[in-house]
Coordinates of all heavy atoms in Angstrom, one line a residue:
Chain A
T717 N 109.6 31.2 -66.0 CA 108.4 30.4 -66.2 C 108.8 29.0 -66.6 O 108.3 28.0 -66.0 CB 107.6 31.0 -67.4 OG1 107.1 32.3 -67.0 CG2 106.3 30.2 -67.7
R718 N 109.7 28.8 -67.5 CA 110.2 27.5 -67.8 C 110.7 26.7 -66.6 O 110.4 25.6 -66.3 CB 111.2 27.5 -68.9 CG 110.7 27.9 -70.2 CD 111.6 27.6 -71.4 NE 111.1 28.1 -72.6 CZ 111.5 29.3 -73.1 NH1 112.5 29.9 -72.6 NH2 111.0 29.7 -74.2
R719 N 111.6 27.5 -65.9 CA 112.2 26.8 -64.7 C 111.2 26.4 -63.7 O 111.2 25.3 -63.1 CB 113.2 27.8 -64.1 CG 114.1 27.1 -63.1 CD 115.1 28.1 -62.5 NE 114.5 28.7 -61.3 CZ 115.1 29.5 -60.5 NH1 116.4 29.8 -60.7 NH2 114.5 30.0 -59.5
T720 N 110.2 27.3 -63.5 CA 109.1 27.0 -62.6 C 108.3 25.8 -63.0 O 108.0 24.9 -62.3 CB 108.2 28.2 -62.4 OG1 109.1 29.3 -62.0 CG2 107.2 27.9 -61.3
L721 N 107.9 25.8 -64.3 CA 107.2 24.7 -64.8 C 107.9 23.4 -64.6 O 107.3 22.4 -64.1 CB 106.9 24.8 -66.3 CG 105.8 25.8 -66.8 CD1 105.9 26.0 -68.3 CD2 104.5 25.3 -66.4
V722 N 109.2 23.4 -64.9 CA 110.0 22.1 -64.8 C 110.1 21.7 -63.3 O 109.9 20.6 -62.9 CB 111.3 22.3 -65.4 CG1 112.3 21.2 -65.0 CG2 111.2 22.3 -66.9
R723 N 110.5 22.7 -62.5 CA 110.8 22.4 -61.1 C 109.6 21.9 -60.4 O 109.6 21.0 -59.5 CB 111.4 23.6 -60.4 CG 112.9 23.8 -60.8 CD 113.5 24.8 -59.8 NE 114.9 25.1 -60.2 CZ 115.6 25.9 -59.5 NH1 115.2 26.6 -58.5 NH2 116.9 26.2 -59.9
V724 N 108.5 22.6 -60.6 CA 107.3 22.2 -59.9 C 106.8 20.9 -60.4 O 106.4 20.0 -59.6 CB 106.2 23.3 -60.1 CG1 104.8 22.8 -59.5 CG2 106.6 24.6 -59.4
L725 N 106.9 20.6 -61.7 CA 106.5 19.3 -62.2 C 107.4 18.2 -61.5 O 106.9 17.2 -61.1 CB 106.7 19.2 -63.7 CG 106.5 17.9 -64.3 CD1 105.0 17.3 -64.0 CD2 106.7 17.9 -65.8
E726 N 108.7 18.5 -61.4 CA 109.6 17.5 -60.9 C 109.2 17.2 -59.4 O 109.3 16.1 -58.9 CB 111.1 18.0 -61.0 CG 112.1 16.9 -60.8 CD 112.5 16.8 -59.3 OE1 112.3 17.7 -58.5 OE2 113.1 15.7 -59.0
S727 N 108.8 18.3 -58.7 CA 108.4 18.1 -57.3 C 107.1 17.3 -57.2 O 106.9 16.4 -56.4 CB 108.2 19.5 -56.6 OG 109.4 20.2 -56.6
I728 N 106.2 17.6 -58.1 CA 104.9 16.8 -58.2 C 105.3 15.3 -58.3 O 104.7 14.5 -57.7 CB 104.1 17.3 -59.4 CG1 103.5 18.7 -59.1 CG2 103.0 16.3 -59.7 CD1 102.8 19.3 -60.3
L729 N 106.2 15.0 -59.2 CA 106.5 13.6 -59.5 C 107.0 13.0 -58.2 O 106.6 11.8 -57.9 CB 107.5 13.5 -60.6 CG 107.1 14.1 -62.0 CD1 108.2 14.1 -63.0 CD2 105.9 13.2 -62.5
R730 N 107.9 13.6 -57.5 CA 108.4 13.0 -56.3 C 107.3 12.9 -55.2 O 107.2 11.9 -54.5 CB 109.6 13.8 -55.7 CG 110.8 13.6 -56.5 CD 112.0 14.4 -55.9 NE 111.9 15.8 -56.2 CZ 112.0 16.7 -55.3 NH1 112.2 16.4 -54.0 NH2 111.9 18.0 -55.7

Side-chain angles (χ1 to χ4, degrees):
Chain A
T717 298
R718 290 198 186 98
R719 194 182 83 173
T720 304
L721 281 172
V722 165
R723 286 195 182 176
V724 172
L725 175 60
E726 197 271 341
S727 297
I728 288 172
L729 295 173
R730 284 183 287 128

